[in-house]
């Protein structure tokens, strides 16, 4: 059994995944530092980086962006009144909603051995794979999103389309499919 590295991308159920692994009554070892990029692990592990099975969950850029907007709305210092300005800032994009492809990149290549899609594989597919890898138990749902839906205006849609162009391409999402919104 190989040890794991979980690349925990924000807004992709990472807290639930790490909870399942942590509560597992097995010998499975999984290393994950919240929201650290793949390059972080490569820098710290050096040649040992390739000895690990590396996995992650990616999410449709539109729904991930909208989930990040909900998170901002819950922050009393920012609030919905200025959400357009906050969301479009580079601080927001770099801290909470960085490009998934850049997050997973080491030397220009996606470093994950196993990539799950949030929409298709969470929780059942991830849980099944983790059990195959030696974990036990179930994947809990750790964080509930606010029930308020965020409407993305045309400017926000164009921002997502442009800013996350590499993610749409790398992970097979259609930038013209806004039906997910």
């Amino acid at each position: 059994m190989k040890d794991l590295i979980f690349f925990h991308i924000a807004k992709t159920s990472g807290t639930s995944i790490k909870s399942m692994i942590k509560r597992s009554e097995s010998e499975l070892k999984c290393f994950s530092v919240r929201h650290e990029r793949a390059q972080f692990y490569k820098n710290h592990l050096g040649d040992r980086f390739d000895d690990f099975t590396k996995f992650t969950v990616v999410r449709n850029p539109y729904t991930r962006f909208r989930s990040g907007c909900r998170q901002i709305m819950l922050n009393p210092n920012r609030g919905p009144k200025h959400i357009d300005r906050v969301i479009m800032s580079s601080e927001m994009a770099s801290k909470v909603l960085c490009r998934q492809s850049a997050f997973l990149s080491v030397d220009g290549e996606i470093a994950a051995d196993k990539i799950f899609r949030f929409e298709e594989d969470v929780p059942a597919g991830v849980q099944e794979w983790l059990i195959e890898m030696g974990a036990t138990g179930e994947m809990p749902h750790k964080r509930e999103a606010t029930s308020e839906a965020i409407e993305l205006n045309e400017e926000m849609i164009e921002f997502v389309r442009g800013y996350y162009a590499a993610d749409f391409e790398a992970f097979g999402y259609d930038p013209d499919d806004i039906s997910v919104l």
Side-chain angles (χ1 to χ4, degrees):
M1 167 178 20
K2 258 183 152 177
D3 290 339
L4 306 177
I5 294 176
F6 172 51
F7 301 133
H8 179 177
I9 299 171
K11 313 313 299 168
T12 62
S13 290
T15 302
S16 296
I17 292 167
K18 289 189 339 187
S19 178
M20 178 183 173
I21 294 166
K22 185 177 181 180
R23 294 183 347 199
S24 180
E25 296 176 7
S26 74
E27 299 292 316
L28 181 67
K29 290 190 175 98
C30 182
F31 301 95
S32 185
V33 179
R34 188 172 185 226
H35 306 161
E36 282 293 347
R37 295 170 181 255
Q39 190 66 55
F40 166 86
Y41 296 96
K42 176 68 174 171
N43 292 347
H44 283 79
L45 294 169
D47 293 338
R48 294 181 300 147
F49 182 73
D50 294 328
D51 295 339
F52 291 82
T53 298
K54 297 164 287 294
F55 75 104
T56 194
V57 175
V58 296
R59 187 172 182 178
N60 182 300
Y62 289 121
T63 58
R64 183 167 169 261
F65 184 78
R66 193 169 63 185
S67 179
C69 293
R70 281 192 210 110
Q71 181 179 339
I72 289 171
M73 288 182 72
L74 294 174
N75 182 330
N77 298 323
R78 293 182 178 151
K81 196 164 35 172
H82 305 290
I83 194 156
D84 287 17
R85 205 167 355 124
V86 173
I87 290 169
M88 307 303 274
S89 78
S90 60
E91 175 192 349
M92 166 60 184
S94 69
K95 286 192 176 178
V96 178
L97 295 176
C98 68
R99 291 175 188 92
Q100 297 169 103
S101 52
F103 189 92
L104 298 171
S105 179
V106 172
D107 301 326
E109 300 290 326
I110 301 293
D113 301 309
K114 180 74 174 168
I115 299 174
F116 294 97
R117 288 172 57 128
F118 179 88
E119 302 79 11
E120 300 158 11
D121 299 316
V122 173
V126 175
Q127 178 177 298
E128 182 180 311
W129 183 79
L130 285 170
I131 289 170
E132 286 174 18
M133 298 302 291
T136 60
E138 294 183 1
M139 193 171 99
H141 190 128
K142 294 299 284 183
R143 295 193 179 168
E144 294 291 332
T146 155
S147 60
E148 295 178 37
I150 304 296
E151 296 277 334
L152 297 188
N153 62 34
E154 192 58 40
E155 181 185 13
M156 291 174 167
I157 291 170
E158 286 306 312
F159 171 79
V160 171
R161 222 179 246 144
Y163 186 78
Y164 297 108
D167 289 354
F168 283 110
E169 184 176 337
F171 306 116
Y173 291 104
D174 181 357
D176 297 322
D177 182 8
I178 57 172
S179 67
V180 297
L181 300 174

